[in-house]
Amino acid sequence: MDKNFQEQFAGVIKFTPPLYKQRYQFVKDLVEKYKPKKVADLGCADCTLLWMLKYCSCIEVLAGLDSCASVMKEKMYKLSPLPVDYLQPAQRSLTITLHHGSVACKDPCMLGFDLVTCIELIEHLEESELNKFPEVVFGFMSPSIVVISTPNSDFNPLLKGVTLFRHPDHKFEWNQVQFQSWALETAARYNYSVEFTGVGLPPTGMEKVGFCTQIAVFVRKYSETSESAQLEKPLEAVYKTVFKAVYPSLKDERYLQNAVVSEVIFTIQIIKQNLLDCLMSEHKECNDDPTERKSKFHPSMNRFSEDLRKLVVEKSLESFVNGNVAYIPLATIFSFPKVNRLCGTFEKLCKLIAGKVTLSSDGSAVVFNIEH
Ligand code: SAH
């Protein structure tokens, strides 16, 4: 590289957003593209990438692995469910687990992943670990996709203060030719295709140095049959699990039942208010005070349930009143979109609300008192 040209840039290169965020965004975009259900981040450090990925709704299993337990524990609390996750359980299930161990060792807990990410990991590996790494990740774990990022040493002359390596813990830094030949050889050995890209664009006129962070995306060429998966299933656990969070999900019958019963009770309240409102207006029409004819809905109900109230009116209340008791057919309740979406089938609705709301003797309607 021309020394004068190089000096023109050294130290003035600043990436916006910062390079580490561009790397994480690259992974997020990959997740949006391939929609993996199970993702493992190797060398997850303080779990920032995992924390970002927990918001990707396609992911159901997230795992992190690092050989340094203390760095993982620093912010692992950020991976725990929040109160809102309990108040409004998500449709998908999500389990997040953190393991303490080395990528140079095989552990059965790392099997079955769709995407494995190794962001700025390989340059931290000792030679002996780097030699074992391809067999562990591509041979043993054999996910559909592997993404590996590492510093591109061709870019280093443009970075201020970088003499040998960008970080004191780096064991090596490869240029583009070194990284690509390692990646191509690994891909060929384990039957993957590989494409190269990166983040951190070089300055105009210096395109030859390539991206500041070089990235290889490997895609498995064969689809793993259950037989080939079985061949590799062995081994005792060598990693230590240091964290596990199971998020509340509507796939769990307990949370689904809570959500359905709450929604049914809420729907019944709206219907009941509407019914009372109608009855009151009828009653008032016979009396003399017209100012009293406005809605009897509680103000907060009016605000939050306008859509539901409209629905109740549209459905012209397929309920009937017998003295002080009103009956709303379960079929009517099932036809409300949210109840319908949650339950899926009418039988499921009946099963989930059994014993939780008062039903008519034949079980076909919800019963409530409208004594006023
Ligand atoms: N992926 C993170 C962290 C990169 S730093 C990010 O992009 O920000 C590299 C991480 O790899 C460190 O946390 C280090 O503890 C971990 N590491 C080093 N050798 C390892 C090994 N053999 N197995 C697993 N993790 C390792």
Side-chain angles (χ1 to χ4, degrees):
M1 194 186 300
D2 181 297
K3 199 86 181 123
N4 291 333
F5 201 40
Q6 178 187 323
E7 274 165 9
Q8 222 182 305
F9 293 102
V12 294
I13 290 184
K14 210 172 158 219
F15 294 106
T16 323
L19 214 49
Y20 77 94
K21 284 196 180 163
Q22 292 193 37
R23 290 192 286 264
Y24 295 162
Q25 189 58 46
F26 180 88
V27 174
K28 268 196 102 173
D29 293 344
L30 210 64
V31 166
E32 293 308 328
K33 182 175 171 194
Y34 288 101
K35 308 253 180 264
K37 276 190 176 173
K38 300 182 178 187
V39 179
D41 185 27
L42 311 184
C44 62
D46 68 0
C47 308
T48 305
L49 178 59
L50 289 169
W51 173 78
M52 280 177 71
L53 294 179
K54 84 169 192 160
Y55 295 99
C56 297
S57 58
C58 59
I59 297 178
E60 296 182 1
V61 174
L62 260 181
L65 172 72
D66 206 288
S67 58
C68 178
S70 57
V71 69
M72 262 193 300
K73 286 178 183 173
E74 260 172 44
K75 295 187 192 158
M76 71 182 181
Y77 64 89
K78 286 178 79 178
L79 301 176
S80 297
L82 299 168
V84 67
D85 294 314
Y86 288 97
L87 288 170
Q88 279 183 335
Q91 191 64 49
R92 58 126 179 208
S93 58
L94 175 63
T95 302
I96 306 180
T97 319
L98 295 179
H99 306 282
H100 176 217
S102 170
V103 289
C105 303
K106 297 174 183 174
D107 186 299
C109 74
M110 282 290 149
L111 291 169
F113 285 89
D114 304 310
L115 168 66
V116 167
T117 59
C118 309
I119 305 303
E120 307 298 274
L121 165 71
I122 58 171
E123 66 277 9
H124 291 266
L125 302 179
E126 300 284 355
E127 200 181 337
S128 60
E129 295 174 315
L130 184 68
N131 290 339
K132 289 178 188 149
F133 173 84
E135 175 51 29
V136 175
V137 174
F138 296 92
F140 176 68
M141 295 175 71
S142 64
S144 323
I145 304 165
V146 179
V147 54
I148 296 181
S149 85
T150 193
N152 164 20
S153 66
D154 287 333
F155 202 102
N156 285 357
L158 298 179
L159 299 172
K160 195 182 179 183
V162 175
T163 44
L164 182 60
F165 297 142
R166 294 183 195 176
H167 190 279
D169 188 51
H170 288 180
K171 310 299 184 294
F172 61 89
E173 283 178 6
W174 281 335
N175 61 30
Q176 295 167 93
V177 172
Q178 289 169 314
F179 179 52
Q180 293 187 13
S181 54
W182 175 86
L184 285 166
E185 194 192 307
T186 304
R189 188 170 338 136
Y190 294 97
N191 211 1
Y192 280 73
S193 63
V194 60
E195 284 186 6
F196 300 99
T197 177
V199 292
L201 281 169
T204 314
M206 307 216 62
E207 286 75 12
K208 266 194 177 165
V209 301
F211 292 100
C212 189
T213 295
Q214 44 187 345
I215 299 177
V217 179
F218 301 77
V219 178
R220 200 180 58 207
K221 281 184 183 166
Y222 64 98
S223 65
E224 196 171 59
T225 60
S226 52
E227 272 162 46
S228 64
Q230 284 307 316
L231 280 178
E232 296 280 9
K233 290 263 161 64
L235 296 172
E236 52 184 293
V238 290
Y239 298 164
K240 189 169 172 251
T241 303
V242 292
F243 174 90
K244 184 167 181 174
V246 179
Y247 278 62
S249 151
L250 295 176
K251 293 220 167 92
D252 180 330
E253 190 96 347
R254 287 170 306 164
Y255 291 110
L256 179 64
Q257 183 173 44
N258 274 344
V260 168
V261 170
S262 305
E263 192 57 30
V264 166
I265 290 174
F266 187 63
T267 307
I268 293 168
Q269 286 305 323
I270 303 297
I271 294 174
K272 185 173 171 176
Q273 285 292 333
N274 207 48
L275 198 58
L276 287 172
D277 196 36
C278 292
L279 293 172
M280 289 297 282
S281 346
E282 277 169 25
H283 178 70
K284 286 279 185 269
E285 270 162 24
C286 307
N287 289 311
D288 51 5
D289 188 356
T291 57
E292 287 282 303
R293 269 181 212 169
K294 56 193 179 217
S295 167
K296 284 287 176 285
F297 278 96
H298 187 277
S300 65
M301 282 253 185
N302 266 342
R303 216 169 341 115
F304 293 116
S305 55
E306 197 50 41
D307 288 349
L308 195 52
R309 197 164 68 91
K310 273 192 204 135
L311 257 176
V312 169
V313 175
E314 272 165 28
K315 286 176 180 295
S316 65
L317 278 179
E318 291 161 40
S319 56
F320 65 91
V321 179
N322 186 0
N324 281 335
V325 178
Y327 297 82
I328 307 169
L330 280 185
T332 305
I333 292 172
F334 183 64
S335 69
F336 282 85
K338 193 158 175 204
V339 176
N340 192 286
R341 204 171 347 107
L342 283 168
C343 300
T345 65
F346 184 71
E347 291 68 34
K348 188 90 180 173
L349 170 67
C350 297
K351 187 179 164 220
L352 290 172
I353 63 168
K356 301 282 178 186
V357 293
T358 313
L359 296 178
S360 57
S361 54
D362 66 352
S364 69
V366 175
V367 183
F368 57 82
N369 204 301
I370 50 165
E371 202 171 357
H372 196 59

